[in-house]
Amino acid sequence: MSAPTRRYEDAVARYFEAWNAAPDAVAKAVASAWTEDGGYTDPLADVRGHEQIAAVVAAAREQFPGFSFRLSGAVDGHHDTARFSWELVSEADGSAPVAGFDVIALDGEDRIRSVFGFLDRVPAGA
């Protein structure tokens, strides 16, 4: 695996650590993955900074208890940008009612400056 590929995969792994962190560990995981002024934008949120990003993560986890986010496919990247697909998977039955893909921009220390998320599959009423 090349160093650039590892860079993107490591950043995405920290991203998923934040999304899957226990409630008392979300803030620390977000701080590890994002720059202080980092942003997160998807069709349902547009926030900046660790506190607001952690609030979005916590809200998603509350809306989908018993689910975890996982990578779906390979991470692809160039320069300071990477893209990847993901699924929100039920720990009980393995179903994945929510799926999408994200594009992240990294800083020089491989922390996330911005995320642009797209939702490909969302259950009715979610």
Side-chain angles (χ1 to χ4, degrees):
M1 177 175 309
S2 70
T5 300
R6 173 49 87 206
R7 173 185 187 214
Y8 307 125
E9 290 179 352
D10 288 349
V12 170
R14 286 190 308 276
Y15 177 79
F16 283 115
E17 286 172 12
W19 281 98
N20 292 323
D24 63 344
V26 170
K28 182 177 180 180
V30 166
S32 174
W34 271 267
T35 61
E36 282 189 43
D37 62 345
Y40 177 85
T41 302
D42 72 12
L44 306 173
D46 186 12
V47 298
R48 295 201 75 70
H50 292 170
E51 187 174 314
Q52 290 181 3
I53 294 167
V56 168
V57 169
R61 302 288 293 164
E62 287 176 19
Q63 184 176 3
F64 293 96
F67 284 76
S68 60
F69 288 88
R70 73 173 178 203
L71 184 64
S72 174
V75 176
D76 182 30
H78 61 81
H79 296 86
D80 292 330
T81 306
R83 66 179 178 167
F84 55 93
S85 296
W86 53 266
E87 295 178 312
L88 183 61
V89 180
S90 168
E91 295 164 6
D93 65 12
S95 65
V98 182
F101 81 91
D102 291 355
V103 176
I104 62 174
L106 304 177
D107 72 357
E109 296 177 359
D110 297 342
R111 292 176 67 209
I112 299 169
R113 286 191 336 245
S114 61
V115 175
F116 294 98
F118 297 84
L119 301 173
D120 297 327
R121 182 173 62 238
V122 179

